[in-house]
Amino acid sequence: MDTAQTDLESEAPATPQEERSARHLRMLAQVADVHMEIIETIRAEAVEAPQPAVDYGQRIAVVTKSLRLTLLLEDKFANHRDERRKAAAKREAAQEDWHELRVKLAMMGAAYEVSEDAEEVDRREDEMQERLERPEVAELIEASRAEVAVAALCRRWGYPVRVKQWLEMADEAMEELGFLPPEDGEEDDPEDAPAPRSVAGRRPRPPDTG
């Protein structure tokens, strides 16, 4: 994959979750600014025109406590966003390491999904396995992004071009097998993670979708 492709991927639009997190952080920053304005107003009144029987120290203490809670919440949101970004980057790196397996599982998943019975599943999977081992197909997979390779192979072999669905099925299978970290990043990696290797000669099975 070339540098231009990598640059385009790095400039991908934010996910809905990232957009919500960014919005929440902006809101919390605005709330913190309001707190600071209130504190400055109280300070100015205490210095320039103090009112009798008003405990300005207590007023500032109340606002300061609320401000502290706002800042803690802001830190929590920021840390959560950073953790999600790290988890997403880790998952993308694993997808890159296992690029060949991911594409092959996606295509096997497509063959499985469009089959109407067990006999057709076996026939299509045998056919797909043979096709995926062809040198020109291996070259296409190696030279292309997963989305591009899956779309091209679907068109070449007459499968529905449902790239997102086929890759999601592949990712689910790879996650279950321990090749991909979970999407939420909450689970630890296996102690002895397998090293990337060719899947030639292996018969990957798509996840059971019922």
Side-chain angles (χ1 to χ4, degrees):
M1 300 182 191
D2 57 28
T3 304
Q5 288 177 331
T6 303
D7 291 342
L8 287 174
E9 290 173 1
S10 65
E11 296 174 1
T15 64
Q17 178 63 39
E18 289 174 338
E19 291 177 352
R20 284 195 298 271
S21 295
R23 178 172 175 269
H24 293 160
L25 283 171
R26 289 194 299 270
M27 292 170 63
L28 287 168
Q30 291 171 353
V31 171
D33 289 342
V34 170
H35 280 77
M36 292 306 300
E37 291 175 2
I38 294 172
I39 290 174
E40 178 58 28
T41 299
I42 295 173
R43 187 205 65 80
E45 181 180 315
V47 172
E48 299 172 6
Q51 302 296 314
V54 173
D55 188 342
Y56 290 100
Q58 178 62 23
R59 283 189 176 182
I60 290 179
V62 171
V63 180
T64 300
K65 181 179 180 180
S66 179
L67 173 61
R68 184 164 57 250
L69 293 175
T70 301
L71 295 177
L72 288 172
L73 188 57
E74 186 177 16
D75 285 341
K76 181 178 179 180
F77 268 100
N79 291 334
H80 181 65
R81 182 184 62 177
D82 291 343
E83 289 302 317
R84 288 185 63 87
R85 285 179 175 176
K86 290 178 183 178
K90 197 173 184 181
R91 188 176 175 90
E92 289 174 5
Q95 287 172 336
E96 180 68 20
D97 289 340
W98 293 96
H99 172 72
E100 178 190 2
L101 174 62
R102 187 175 183 233
V103 173
K104 290 187 174 185
L105 280 174
M107 295 308 301
M108 295 296 282
Y112 179 91
E113 190 71 10
V114 301
S115 300
E116 296 183 355
D117 52 42
E119 182 178 349
E120 186 176 1
V121 167
D122 290 339
R123 178 181 65 79
R124 283 185 179 275
E125 287 188 350
D126 287 340
E127 181 182 60
M128 183 64 72
Q129 184 68 31
E130 185 276 327
R131 286 172 167 175
L132 290 170
E133 298 306 323
R134 295 174 183 173
E136 66 273 16
V137 174
E139 291 177 4
L140 171 65
I141 293 174
E142 182 179 358
S144 307
R145 292 186 295 111
E147 294 80 2
V148 174
V150 171
L153 294 176
C154 284
R155 293 188 181 97
R156 179 180 298 186
W157 297 331
Y159 283 89
V161 188
R162 300 203 293 265
V163 176
K164 182 178 180 181
Q165 179 182 350
W166 307 147
L167 285 174
E168 285 178 350
M169 290 176 66
D171 288 343
E172 288 174 5
M174 291 173 67
E175 187 174 325
E176 289 178 3
L177 294 169
F179 294 108
L180 283 186
E183 196 165 6
D184 56 15
E186 291 182 357
E187 296 181 10
D188 295 332
D189 291 335
E191 292 183 1
D192 298 317
R197 60 183 181 278
S198 172
V199 296
R202 298 179 67 242
R203 184 185 176 98
R205 302 288 296 185
D208 183 4
T209 60

